[in-house]
Structure formats: structure tokens, C-alpha cells
Amino acid sequence: MLGTAILGAICGMLGSFAVLRKQSLLGDAISHAALPGIAIAFLITGVKDSNLFLLGALISGLIGTFWIRSITKNTHLKSDTALGLTLSLFFGFGMLLLTFIQKQPNASQAGLDTYLFGQAATLLAKDVWLIAIVAGIALLILLVFWKEFKILLFDEDYTKTLGFNTRFIDILITTFIVITIVLGLQTVGVILMSAMLLAPAAAARQWTNSLEIMVILAAIFGAFSGVVGTGISTVVGNLSTGPVIVLVASGIVLLSFIFSPKRGLLFREIRFRKNRNNIKMQKTLAFMYEIAKTHEHISHPHAIKILNDFQGFSKRSLQELVDLSYVQINGQQWSMTQKGFTTAANLYNQQIEDTHE
Amino acid sequence: MNSAQITIQIIVTLVAIACAIPGTFLVLRKMSLISDAISHSILLGIVIGFFIVEDTSSPLLIFLAALAGVVTVILVEFIQKTGLVKEDTAIGLVFPALFSIGVILISKNANDVHLDIDSVMVGDLSLAPFDPLLINCQEGIADSCVNLGPKAIWVVGIILIITLTLLFAFFKELKVSTFDAGLAAALGFSPVIMHYGLMTVSSITIVGAFDAVGPILVVALMIAPAATAYLFTKDLKKMLLLSCFFGVIASIAGFWLAYIIDASISGSMTTVLAVLFLLVYEPIITSVVVSFLTGVGIIFYQWYTFLMAQGIELDKMLLGKKIQTVFSEFIFLDYFYIFVMTSIFSATLIYILPKRGLIYGYYKVRQQKTEIMLLVFLLHIRNHTEESERHVKHLNEHINWQRLRSQSIVALAEKNNMITVTDQIISLTEKGDDFTEKAIDYIITNKDTEIEEMKDDFFLFRG
């Protein structure tokens, strides 16, 4: 559980960078690209040592990443095609090697495919330590190069003109993303790794516009989904850990999408309605103003029916106008108050000012 | 070839073509990764379908799986439309979630039945010929069925026919909506319908091919041939044909590769696809590497059989050990010339390939450099009327060229009758003046192709 928590945190942390750099699906591609590395590592050594597999996966993941980079740079193929190519071709090659391994006479190859789907239950204390150490190093590097990372994210050209070595920073962060992915493979598996990298970051993005807070939030979300996911899967028997973690993370994303105060769908809808009502009310008021202007006395009563010609009118908006004491209603008649008149006059001026700004 | 082999080859060919056609459009529409997303989330459809009918061969499963694919696309679009995240993030959020639900449903409910992730996620082609489509079965009577041949042929064949029909029927619409959605909408055919139509076809194709080659490899068959073809051509029809061609080549070659090394067919198909792509993308390195590996493979195999014949029990060893043993007995120099020959042969072949070879590329870059330098030179001459600026020796300082280079440019310009040099003072001829003026026009308006015409007009680089 500790392992998944740390893993979730580090995924969230680094995932923030991936998401902001529009490399969201890099995780997906890399986690698939790691397969041939694992297979080759086994083919050559014949030992089922997880550190060795990690090394193999790391190497082939890095090759995949730089392949993606060079394809998008050198050809007119777009990054999605490059990602898809890397993902499927590497994975296919990995499958070839896996089936080739399975045909080999010695029988110790069983269990290679747990890497495909991941089992957090198989995590040993040793692995947790490894994850923790990598997380620590990643955190350290993140803190040391914070300024560079941040500036690289938002304005690459500017970074270059400032004299930073963008290539180095780029390679550094990509390498760490790849390392994380490779570490995560064992826990949540190839297919779900991309969600682990993405979901916490995407959720955190909804709550803040600041990179610092986003990274911290993403780490918290990641750790939370790791803990809760593992917890659920141990309490409810027969559930594989990876998918549960992913679902928890997806749930967090969903909640963030709906409830985040600034960007969330719920509040946006509320804001939207409020604005619409406001506009409706202002339109009615402006209409009334136009009528009232033509009369000597502004509080001259008019029939409500007149407003029927006008679409912005509704019982609710009228009531609101009364509440704001812009308008008085006597039976079927309405009349404007002095306050309403000035507001409407100012409203008109204000609008003109707004458009001129 | 026995009949099973022929059947498999027919199936892989059909799958390759059926995948290559929607794949081309996906690549062009920058939606390649949607295919990956669909291929994962159809698991959910299959699982739900399985719980409803408890039968892995029911057509309802295929229907629900395709539906799950379309649902994925709709969800991705929806999340993207909210503007909260970018499209790729939306894809990355949707399909793992759906896939996870599928996996959890399986592990929760289907333990006692024959449905596990491996069997769903990794297809096996070698069994396809032995899974016949049986119709008209009567209860209780054995062999009463009419055997229509392998089911996969029927499934993929029907999908291919549908795809082809739709392609021919809506080619124009697809083309316009792919390259200019706005124009398509203005012309009156809805890009939205085209989009979802394409998604539905892709989804159905993925589901159909899924059984045969497994999901990831469907993605490979969709993207890789199209991407390879896209490197060759920008003409849509040619691209479609080429991607079908690459798909078919890779499928058949992949089948035989799998046959030789005794490994999964879909895996080796993907490997061939990868090699094909690399051959087009990075011809020199790939050809050298491939020929080198083949050379090593052949030599290794010869030594392997040789050692086996001597009674060393190599086949019980691991590959790593095997390599060690074989190479410890191996005298490298004997075979060195094979490496050299194959490498040199393929390298030279690629080097001199027109338009793609390294030498051609180098030449072209140099030529373009010279063109630009000539242009700069002519502009300089045109802008300066005073004689001191137009002295031959003066150019070195002013345009910052090395002496040798400036000399060659001057020589080139002179050869093209663009300048005349009298007493080391350069002046533009009428032709040079004309050319420079046109060049300025070109630079200002930045119209493509004009510079090519200009070259024709002035016989540049043709003495």
C-alpha cells in the first residue's frame, strides 16, 4: 500500500509535466514500448529478476521516446501517429519475443506477462524501497531544476534565449517520466499506467492555475487513489489492484471536472445561468427605460402587457426588478422608480464604455 | 502450403486491407490514438455482452463491442468539448477507465466461466482456420451443420466489403471532410456524420480484427501502413492503395516469419510492419541493422546446428547461454565477409536511391544553400549602386562569405548571365535584374511553387 501511495504521488507529480506539455499519451506509448525490453532482458540473461527487467524496460522505453521525438521532428507525421506507431510496433515486437520465449524449452518464463496487467500484491519490500528511492531522487531533481522545468513548460523558445540547455532539461524530465512508467508497470500494468500518469494531473489542473499547487495536488490525488484503490481491492476480494486504482483516480477526475470552483462544469453552468438571467433582467430594464423616457414622469404606470412584445421579459425577471426596487408593480401596471431609472441610464452608458474598452 | 496456411494468409490479408483503409483516414485526421482507445474499451462491451448471453460467439458481443467503441469516441468528444482538458488527455482518461471497469467485471463475475483477459486481449491467428462458421445446426444431430469455412474469413470479409462500399460511396465526402471540415460543412455534407461514420467503421473493424490478431496489433495494422504510405505520398488515393499494399506485404511476410521462428503471427506481422516503416523512415541505418542481424542470425543458426550435430545439448539451454556457447566456438573472421558484403550492398542500394537516398539529400541541401546564397548576392548587388560596394573583393567583407564561396557564387551568377564583371566591378544584367525582382516578389508574397517556375525561367544550375 505504501508502494502504491508513493507511486501514485510520483506519477501525479511527473504527470503534471506530461499533461502540460501535451504529451499525455506518452505514458501509454512508453508503457507498451517497455515490453520488448523486458522480453529481451529475459532472453539474454534467463533470470527473472525484476531489477533487470526494469533496466530492459527503461532502455526500450527511452528508445521509444526518442523515436517518437525524432519521427515528429523529421517527418510530417503528427505526434499522435508517432505515439501510435511506437506503441503498437514496440508492443507487437514484444509479443513476438514473448511467444518466442514461451516456445523455449526451459520453463522459468512463466509470469512474464504479469507485467502486462500488473499485480500490486506481488510488490515486495525491496520494490517499495526502489520506488521510494526513485521518488526521492525525482523530487530532489524537481526541486533543484524547478525554475528550468517551469519555464520550459510554458515558453520553450524563451528558455532557449535565456541560455538554458533545453535539450538537457527535456531529456531529464522525459527520462524521469519513463523511469516512473517502468516502475509503475509492475503495480498497475501496461494498459493502466497511462491513466495513473494522467488522471491525477488532469484532476489537479482543474483546481488551480499555479504549477506549484498543481504538482502538489496531483501528488496528493495520486497517493490517495493508490491508497484507496489498494485498500478497496484488499477488502473486497477478487479484485485486481490496478483497475481499482485507476477507477478511483478516474472518479477523482470526474469530481474535479464537475465541482472545481473555477473551471468545473457545475459552477460554470450556474455562472452561465446567472449571467443569462442578469442579461435578461438588464434587457427588460433597458426596454422599460426606453418607454419611461418618452413620458414626462418616469413613474408613469404602464401595462405589463406591453412587455409581452419583448422576449427578455419573464415573471421572474420582473420580480427581481421589483426586489431590487427598480420597478413598482400595482396590479397589472408597472412603473419605474427613480433608482431604476438612474441604473438603467447608467447601464446603457456602461455598456457603451465596455464596448469601447 | 497446406489449406490452413492458405486460410490464415487469406485472413491476414483481409484484416490488413480492412484496417488500412480506416487507418489512413485516422492518421490524416490526427486521430490515430482513438484506435488505441477503442481497441481497449471494447473489452467492456464484450464483457457486458458476455454476461447477457453467456456465449462467446454471439453476434451480440460484436455489436456491443462496436457500441462500446463508439461510446468511447462520444465520451472523448464530450470531455474535450468541455474545454477542461486537451483531446489527448481526454483519450487517456476515457479508455483506461472503461478498460478497468471491464477488467473488474471479469475478475469479479467471470471466474468460473471461460473468459479471461488473456484470451480476450491477445488473439491467436493460428487457431482461426479451425473455428468454422456453422449454420443450420439442428439440435441433437451431430454433423447436421453446413460448414461455411472459417468464421474469421466471413467476419472480416463482410467488414471489408462494408468498408469498401462506404469508401467508394462516400470517397468525395470523406476526402473533403478530412482535409477541410469547414468546407465540407459549407458544401452541405455534415463533417459530424462523416466523423462518427468513420469512427463506427473503425470500431467495427477493430472488433472484427480483434478476434484474429488482438487489439494492440489491430492498432499497428491501422496506423503503421498508413504512416508508411504517408511518408511516400500526399495523394489520398495513392496513400490508400499504398497503405493497403504495405499492410498486405507485412501480413504475408509476417506470417512466414512467424512460421520460420515459430512465434505469434500477429507479433511477427507487427515486427515486419516496424521494419517496413523504418526502411522508409531511416533507410540506411535500418538496412544496415537488418542485414547485420540477418547475417548474425544465419551464422548463429549454422553454428547452432553444427554444434547440435556434435552432440552438445544446446536446445535445453536458455537463449543467453546458447549465444555464449555458440559464440565461444565461433571463429568470427570466417564469416566476416558476409557481414561486410550484405551491409555494403544494402547501404549502397539505399544511398543511390533517388529522392530518398542520403547522397541525394546532401546534394539537395547544398543546392538550396547555393540558391539562397545566390539570391542574397544578387539582392546585395541590386541594392548598391556605388562602385566600391560592387567590387569583387569587397563581397567577402559585406556578405560575410569565405573567399572561395563568394568566388563560386560569382562564377555561378556569371554563368547564368545574371551579372557581368568588368574590371572587377559587378553589375547586374537585365536578366539578373529581372530575376532579383521576381525573387523579391516571391519573398514578399510567399507564394509556393513560384520559385520552381523561376528556376525554369532562368535555367538556373543548367549552365
Side-chain angles (χ1 to χ4, degrees):
Chain A
M1 197 180 268
L2 188 65
T4 52
I6 300 173
L7 187 76
I10 180 178
C11 276
M13 230 157 63
L14 292 168
S16 309
F17 290 93
V19 168
L20 289 177
R21 301 195 64 188
K22 293 173 196 124
Q23 294 179 323
S24 312
L25 289 167
L26 189 69
D28 194 33
I30 303 307
S31 49
H32 283 89
L35 185 66
I38 296 171
I40 290 175
F42 179 78
L43 260 181
I44 292 175
T45 59
V47 198
K48 244 174 48 186
D49 175 23
S50 64
N51 290 341
L52 219 102
F53 287 172
L54 287 182
L55 195 68
L58 183 64
I59 291 170
S60 73
L62 280 176
I63 292 175
T65 321
F66 292 116
W67 206 37
I68 293 170
R69 189 76 38 94
S70 76
I71 287 177
T72 40
K73 213 173 115 199
N74 298 337
T75 68
H76 53 262
L77 296 175
K78 297 289 175 303
S79 67
D80 65 314
T81 313
L83 283 168
L85 270 174
T86 313
L87 177 152
S88 55
L89 294 182
F90 271 67
F91 192 78
F93 183 56
M95 290 302 298
L96 176 80
L97 291 175
L98 269 192
T99 48
F100 183 70
I101 291 170
Q102 272 156 18
K103 299 272 162 58
Q104 296 283 308
N106 56 325
S108 66
Q109 77 282 84
L112 269 184
D113 35 0
T114 55
Y115 272 88
L116 287 186
F117 299 104
Q119 269 304 328
T122 56
L123 273 185
L124 303 173
K126 190 179 72 172
D127 300 327
V128 176
W129 272 112
L130 189 66
I131 293 173
I133 290 169
V134 171
I137 298 174
L139 192 64
L140 202 71
I141 288 193
L142 207 62
L143 288 177
V144 172
F145 289 100
W146 179 257
K147 207 166 55 212
E148 285 84 348
F149 281 160
K150 192 170 172 181
I151 197 168
L152 181 73
L153 270 185
F154 296 112
D155 197 337
E156 196 170 334
D157 294 331
Y158 183 53
T159 324
K160 237 179 247 167
T161 57
L162 283 183
F164 288 118
N165 189 346
T166 48
R167 227 183 131 75
F168 172 72
I169 305 172
D170 195 32
I171 289 175
L172 193 69
I173 193 151
T174 315
T175 312
F176 264 95
I177 292 178
V178 175
I179 292 176
T180 322
I181 292 165
V182 166
L183 280 176
L185 285 185
Q186 216 176 358
T187 322
V188 289
V190 168
I191 295 147
L192 307 173
M193 196 51 219
S194 63
M196 278 308 284
L197 208 60
L198 260 187
R205 176 71 188 91
Q206 308 311 320
W207 298 95
T208 174
N209 280 330
S210 137
L211 181 67
E212 287 89 348
I213 301 175
M214 177 175 165
V215 170
I216 295 169
L217 263 183
I220 294 172
F221 285 152
F224 176 77
S225 39
V227 171
V228 174
T230 322
I232 293 176
S233 79
T234 30
V235 173
V236 186
N238 233 343
L239 281 183
S240 24
T241 323
V244 182
I245 296 177
V246 170
L247 278 187
V248 173
S250 306
I252 294 176
V253 174
L254 195 65
L255 288 179
S256 311
F257 275 4
I258 297 174
F259 293 114
S260 96
K262 273 197 189 132
R263 296 162 59 102
L265 294 180
L266 184 68
F267 286 93
R268 196 160 65 179
E269 186 65 30
I270 291 173
R271 229 173 13 245
F272 184 64
R273 293 232 166 132
K274 220 164 147 190
N275 283 344
R276 201 165 51 188
N277 282 339
N278 238 341
I279 287 173
K280 248 188 201 168
M281 201 187 76
Q282 287 180 355
K283 267 161 95 182
T284 319
L285 192 65
F287 184 64
M288 289 167 164
Y289 173 71
E290 291 297 321
I291 297 172
K293 232 174 29 178
T294 57
H295 292 270
E296 287 160 30
H297 201 315
I298 46 165
S299 56
H300 183 90
H302 304 276
I304 290 182
K305 274 186 199 158
I306 302 178
L307 296 176
N308 283 351
D309 298 339
F310 182 63
Q311 287 187 336
F313 157 73
S314 72
K315 276 213 170 114
R316 223 177 106 200
S317 60
L318 200 61
Q319 188 55 47
E320 253 170 65
L321 285 170
V322 174
D323 290 346
L324 287 166
S325 67
Y326 288 164
V327 187
Q328 284 174 337
I329 292 188
N330 288 318
Q332 289 300 308
Q333 306 268 307
W334 61 267
S335 59
M336 225 170 183
T337 61
Q338 183 60 43
K339 191 182 170 196
F341 190 77
T342 8
T343 319
N346 288 338
L347 184 82
Y348 192 60
N349 291 337
Q350 213 175 23
Q351 267 172 352
I352 291 172
E353 271 168 31
D354 281 352
T355 48
H356 279 279
E357 260 174 54
Chain B
M1 279 196 276
N2 58 37
S3 73
Q5 284 172 343
I6 293 172
T7 316
I8 291 176
Q9 287 185 61
I10 292 174
I11 295 173
V12 292
T13 310
L14 290 177
V15 170
I17 299 176
C19 288
I21 292 171
T24 308
F25 288 102
L26 287 182
V27 166
L28 286 176
R29 286 165 171 247
K30 295 169 206 144
M31 298 195 302
S32 318
L33 287 165
I34 277 278
S35 60
D36 181 42
I38 293 177
S39 70
H40 282 108
S41 49
I42 54 180
L43 175 76
L44 183 62
I46 292 179
V47 173
I48 292 175
F50 183 76
F51 287 145
I52 296 173
V53 291
E54 301 266 319
D55 173 19
T56 44
S57 59
S58 156
L60 181 74
L61 256 62
I62 294 182
F63 173 73
L64 279 176
L67 191 69
V70 177
V71 167
T72 314
V73 177
I74 293 173
L75 275 177
V76 169
E77 299 264 299
F78 177 74
I79 293 184
Q80 195 196 337
K81 282 239 174 73
T82 63
L84 296 174
V85 287
K86 298 271 174 333
E87 181 178 15
D88 54 341
T89 316
I91 295 176
L93 289 173
V94 170
F95 83 85
L98 293 182
F99 184 79
S100 299
I101 298 174
V103 172
I104 288 176
L105 280 180
I106 290 181
S107 62
K108 211 49 204 148
N109 301 311
N111 269 339
D112 46 341
V113 287
H114 173 72
L115 182 73
D116 56 45
I117 309 167
D118 286 10
S119 73
V120 181
M121 293 311 284
V122 184
D124 196 351
L125 252 180
S126 48
L127 296 178
F130 310 108
D131 182 14
L133 181 72
L134 304 171
I135 57 164
N136 280 338
C137 289
Q138 283 158 343
E139 286 284 330
I141 308 168
D143 298 331
S144 68
C145 301
V146 181
N147 191 337
L148 286 178
K151 199 167 80 184
I153 289 190
W154 283 95
V155 174
V156 182
I158 290 170
I159 289 171
L160 180 59
I161 290 170
I162 294 173
T163 312
L164 280 175
T165 322
L166 287 175
L167 178 71
F168 285 124
F170 295 108
F171 183 76
K172 210 167 47 208
E173 285 84 345
L174 265 173
K175 190 173 175 178
V176 177
S177 67
T178 300
F179 294 109
D180 195 338
L183 177 65
L187 287 176
F189 26 84
S190 155
V192 180
I193 294 179
M194 280 299 136
H195 177 76
Y196 282 107
L198 181 66
M199 285 305 143
T200 316
V201 170
S202 313
S203 190
I204 293 172
T205 311
I206 291 172
V207 175
F210 189 90
D211 233 10
V213 292
I216 315 287
L217 311 165
V218 177
V219 180
L221 275 174
M222 282 197 139
I223 301 175
T228 317
Y230 198 20
L231 290 182
F232 266 113
T233 177
K234 285 182 178 167
D235 180 315
L236 180 61
K237 274 181 194 156
K238 274 187 205 156
M239 189 174 158
L240 277 168
L241 283 176
L242 267 178
S243 59
C244 291
F245 172 74
F246 286 131
V248 171
I249 294 279
S251 315
I252 295 188
F255 170 75
W256 288 107
L257 177 68
Y259 181 72
I260 292 167
I261 64 171
D262 191 20
S264 96
I265 297 172
S266 33
S268 49
M269 271 160 69
T270 331
T271 310
V272 176
L273 277 174
V275 172
L276 264 182
F277 177 78
L278 281 173
L279 268 177
V280 175
Y281 171 60
E282 194 112 58
I284 301 141
I285 298 173
T286 318
S287 56
V288 171
V289 169
V290 168
S291 54
F292 182 77
L293 286 180
T294 323
V296 170
I298 293 169
I299 294 159
F300 180 79
Y301 185 73
Q302 283 182 0
W303 271 93
Y304 179 68
T305 42
F306 172 71
L307 291 179
M308 290 274 282
Q310 287 195 332
I312 302 170
E313 289 195 336
L314 273 170
D315 53 338
K316 295 226 171 70
M317 291 181 189
L318 262 174
L319 192 72
K321 259 289 190 42
K322 252 185 234 171
I323 293 173
Q324 274 176 17
T325 323
V326 170
F327 275 90
S328 65
E329 304 272 331
F330 173 66
I331 305 141
F332 186 68
L333 272 179
D334 279 357
Y335 289 93
F336 184 67
Y337 74 97
I338 300 184
F339 291 146
V340 177
M341 289 311 284
T342 45
S343 307
I344 289 176
F345 176 70
S346 48
T348 34
L349 198 82
I350 300 300
Y351 264 92
I352 56 170
L353 267 184
K355 300 230 172 192
R356 305 210 147 261
L358 197 72
I359 290 176
Y360 179 82
Y362 180 70
Y363 172 72
K364 181 131 196 198
V365 167
R366 269 199 62 150
Q367 189 179 322
Q368 279 170 347
K369 245 188 200 161
T370 321
E371 269 169 32
I372 288 169
M373 278 164 63
L374 180 70
L375 212 62
V376 170
F377 165 73
L378 289 175
L379 283 174
H380 180 81
I381 298 296
R382 192 170 184 262
N383 286 343
H384 290 282
T385 40
E386 61 270 37
E387 291 207 338
S388 64
E389 291 278 350
R390 292 192 278 139
H391 196 272
V392 172
K393 294 246 167 77
H394 208 78
L395 286 172
N396 300 339
E397 292 167 32
H398 271 254
I399 328 186
N400 247 344
W401 290 336
Q402 287 98 1
R403 184 165 307 229
L404 201 68
R405 227 186 245 170
S406 63
Q407 268 171 12
S408 70
I409 296 293
V410 171
L412 181 70
E414 215 179 348
K415 221 160 88 185
N416 278 294
N417 293 327
M418 289 187 177
I419 51 167
T420 47
V421 184
T422 41
D423 294 336
Q424 302 225 306
I425 302 295
I426 302 162
S427 44
L428 281 179
T429 60
E430 205 172 297
K431 189 184 166 193
D433 203 42
D434 205 13
F435 178 80
T436 324
E437 203 168 298
K438 274 202 174 182
I440 292 173
D441 267 1
Y442 165 74
I443 292 166
I444 293 169
T445 55
N446 202 11
K447 273 188 194 133
D448 292 331
T449 67
E450 196 149 301
I451 204 140
E452 300 299 323
E453 283 169 22
M454 262 162 60
K455 271 189 234 161
D456 290 342
D457 281 356
F458 294 99
F459 301 106
L460 208 52
F461 297 108
R462 282 173 213 176

